[in-house]
Amino acid sequence: ATQVQGACSLLETCGAELDPAGAGADPTAGPGAIKDVLVRLEELAGTYPQPRMRFLMMDVMDLRKRKWVPKHPKAKPKKLSEKGNLKQVTVPTTNPELHAGP
């Protein structure tokens, strides 16, 4: 299970570089080792006993069908200088509750 999960994670991360053609929906098209891995993933996705692993493999195959473009791109951190990133907050110079005497 960990080998399958590792292969899926690797393909999610750098599948576009390993499979430059993108090859659309056909897992048998593509260069060398990537083709073999994708064909094996497709075989396993239909028969793997753990649903979590099956869906993980199906997600990788769907990612390849979309030419390695993620369905929901990960959010990137914003810079402080970007407009609208920081809220303008007014801070009172004195707090009457702190200075109130007994």
Side-chain angles (χ1 to χ4, degrees), residues 21-43:
D26 184 10
T28 60
I34 188 76
K35 178 180 78 171
D36 297 337
V37 170
L38 291 167
V39 168
R40 184 69 178 137
L41 277 181
E42 186 171 318
E43 291 170 359

Side-chain angles (χ1 to χ4, degrees), residues 12-89:
E12 286 176 355
T13 304
C14 58
E17 286 81 21
L18 296 173
D19 185 19
D26 184 10
T28 60
I34 188 76
K35 178 180 78 171
D36 297 337
V37 170
L38 291 167
V39 168
R40 184 69 178 137
L41 277 181
E42 186 171 318
E43 291 170 359
L44 285 173
T47 61
Y48 210 80
Q50 298 172 348
R52 180 176 171 266
M53 289 294 132
R54 269 199 319 266
F55 288 117
L56 188 61
M57 290 181 267
M58 289 166 48
D59 287 345
V60 170
M61 290 183 291
D62 289 343
L63 186 61
R64 186 174 192 241
K65 287 178 188 176
R66 290 189 307 271
K67 300 197 185 288
W68 303 105
V69 176
K71 188 185 297 185
H72 305 287
K74 292 183 179 178
K76 295 180 181 176
K78 293 183 179 180
K79 294 181 181 178
L80 291 176
S81 60
E82 290 181 21
K83 184 178 180 180
N85 197 25
L86 295 176
K87 294 182 180 179
Q88 292 293 329
V89 179

